[in-house]
């Protein structure tokens, strides 16, 4: 963690502008207030990027944007649907107000929020490596993204003390193969979707949810998907892993 802190401080020191990339599905959970404070202290401009905006409704996005705009200029991007990256490029050029040399942009954020994908979106090419498995970007990398814009891509930073595996599963920081309790994590994901919009689960798994009880919903999904053990009861582990994968791979929109 100490080396992460040093890395963040170093990127802030080198860059002209900082991007904080947050997942539009969890803007609050994937913000890093410590990083925001460090950027503020440096006096350098910050742009917040709400990434993966194809995975949330317009209303959810607008609410998040108006809240975050009070902290820093906020742009939403979907690297998948190639949306928002031109706007981001303009915003960078406008805010940097630097003439005659390249602008260096440090991209910071929680693991797996789409930092490298945003950079690729602005570059218009897949220059920075990406993966659905968190922790893909290992070290700091310099990526040229067209004329005048150079990014520093960084590995994701988990705020100090955040080691709750249920949260990490929900946020996609740890994939199913690295979780100790996939069933518990799947229930957390179910509860999160039910809190936002349970019809997403109903439509995706073709079930009807009568009771907001994650354990029962898991059971229902298992039954519907014919995910059963030899004796006929639901194979909870297998269905839990499928739910985690479906969620983390962005198959459900909330
Ligand atoms: N649906 C959707 N998925 C996205 C979007 N951007 C990134 N992803 C997916 O999110 C996962 C993580 O993307 P990365 O760009 O590797 O994220 P990162 O923040 O660089 O991740 P680390 O380097 O591991 O911290 C990949 O599976 C991407 O395909 C997006 O706009 N929409
Ligand atoms: Mg990356």
């Amino acid at each position: 963690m100490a080396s992460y802190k040093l890395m963040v401080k170093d990127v802030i020191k080198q860059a002209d502008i900082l991007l904080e990339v947050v997942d539009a599905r969890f803007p609050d959970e994937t913000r890093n207030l410590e990083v925001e404070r460090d950027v503020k202290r440096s006096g350098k401009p910050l742009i917040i990027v709400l990434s993966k905006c194809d995975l949330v409704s317009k209303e959810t996005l607008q609410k998040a944007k108006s809240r975050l705009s009070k902290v820093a200029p906020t742009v939403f991007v979907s690297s998948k649907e190639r949306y928002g990256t031109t706007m981001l490029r303009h915003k960078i050029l406008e805010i940097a107000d630097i003439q005659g040399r390249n602008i260096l942009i440090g991209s910071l954020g929680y693991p797996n929020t789409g930092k490298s994908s945003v950079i690729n979106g602005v570059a218009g090419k897949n220059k920075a490596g990406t993966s659905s498995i968190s922790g893909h970007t290992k070290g700091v990398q310099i990526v040229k993204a067209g004329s005048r814009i150079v990014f520093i891509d960084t590995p994701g930073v988990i705020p100090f003390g955040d080691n709750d595996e249920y949260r990490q599963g929900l946020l996609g920081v740890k994939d199913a193969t690295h979780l100790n309790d996939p069933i518990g994590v799947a229930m957390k994901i179910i509860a999160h979707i039910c809190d936002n919009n349970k019809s997403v689960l109903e439509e995706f798994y073709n079930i009807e949810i009568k009771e907001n009880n994650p354990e029962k919903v898991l059971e229902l999904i298992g039954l519907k998907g014919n995910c059963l053990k030899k004796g006929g009861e639901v194979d909870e582990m297998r269905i839990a892993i499928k739910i985690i994968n479906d969620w983390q791979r962005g198959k459900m929109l909330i």
Side-chain angles (χ1 to χ4, degrees):
M1 188 51 71
S3 68
Y4 270 175
K5 282 198 176 190
L6 285 180
M7 186 261 311
V8 170
K9 285 203 188 324
D10 198 45
V11 170
I12 294 175
K13 199 168 151 197
Q14 284 185 52
D16 299 306
I17 296 190
L18 284 307
L19 293 190
E20 185 183 24
V21 181
V22 301
D23 187 325
R25 294 177 296 173
F26 322 99
D28 295 318
E29 289 87 342
T30 52
R31 269 178 74 189
N32 187 328
L33 300 182
E34 213 178 328
V35 167
E36 287 176 19
R37 261 197 305 273
D38 286 348
V39 176
K40 197 164 184 189
R41 233 178 263 142
S42 74
K44 295 190 177 173
L46 173 72
I47 299 175
I48 297 179
V49 178
L50 273 167
S51 73
K52 309 192 189 182
C53 68
D54 54 288
L55 296 179
V56 291
S57 69
K58 279 212 171 79
E59 297 76 52
T60 311
L61 209 54
Q62 277 304 344
K63 268 191 226 151
K65 188 178 176 186
S66 58
R67 244 172 340 105
L68 293 175
S69 295
K70 293 185 185 116
V71 180
T74 303
V75 176
F76 39 72
V77 169
S78 165
S79 314
K80 191 177 165 210
E81 317 240 302
R82 300 184 162 275
Y83 177 83
T85 43
T86 308
M87 177 62 123
L88 177 59
R89 171 178 277 277
H90 283 307
K91 204 79 188 161
I92 290 169
L93 292 171
E94 175 195 321
I95 291 181
D97 195 24
I98 290 171
Q99 314 298 331
R101 67 167 173 90
N102 284 338
I103 303 162
L104 194 54
I105 302 120
S107 171
L108 297 168
Y110 210 83
N112 208 41
T113 53
K115 297 175 296 300
S116 304
S117 301
V118 167
I119 294 173
N120 288 335
V122 176
K125 287 185 197 141
N126 287 349
K127 290 192 164 182
T130 66
S131 162
S132 63
I133 295 171
S134 154
H136 186 75
T137 306
K138 302 285 184 228
V140 170
Q141 285 170 4
I142 300 291
V143 183
K144 178 109 174 60
S147 112
R148 303 203 45 226
I149 293 187
V150 179
F151 281 101
I152 311 174
D153 191 13
T154 66
V157 185
I158 303 177
F160 186 68
D162 183 0
N163 47 16
D164 177 338
E165 114 155 357
Y166 299 100
R167 218 170 105 90
Q168 294 185 354
L170 180 68
L171 302 185
V173 176
K174 271 194 182 168
D175 67 288
T177 59
H178 291 92
L179 293 166
N180 295 318
D181 178 15
I183 297 174
V185 171
M187 290 202 286
K188 175 105 178 173
I189 292 169
I190 290 171
H192 178 78
I193 302 175
C194 285
D195 283 348
N196 284 277
N197 184 0
K198 76 173 181 186
S199 64
V200 169
L201 275 179
E202 293 182 319
E203 278 161 33
F204 191 78
Y205 293 110
N206 194 16
I207 54 168
E208 193 187 342
I209 301 173
K210 295 201 176 115
E211 208 184 323
N212 270 6
N213 176 335
E215 203 178 339
K216 294 227 165 91
V217 175
L218 183 101
E219 196 85 7
L220 263 180
I221 298 173
L223 275 176
K224 192 75 193 181
N226 214 12
C227 193
L228 308 173
K229 289 185 191 161
K230 276 205 182 108
E233 82 256 41
V234 168
D235 187 338
E236 291 185 333
M237 185 58 87
R238 203 148 55 88
I239 197 64
I241 289 171
K242 177 170 172 12
I243 294 168
I244 294 167
N245 288 340
D246 288 342
W247 171 249
Q248 293 188 345
R249 289 172 191 167
K251 293 192 182 162
M252 286 173 269
L253 282 75
I254 53 170

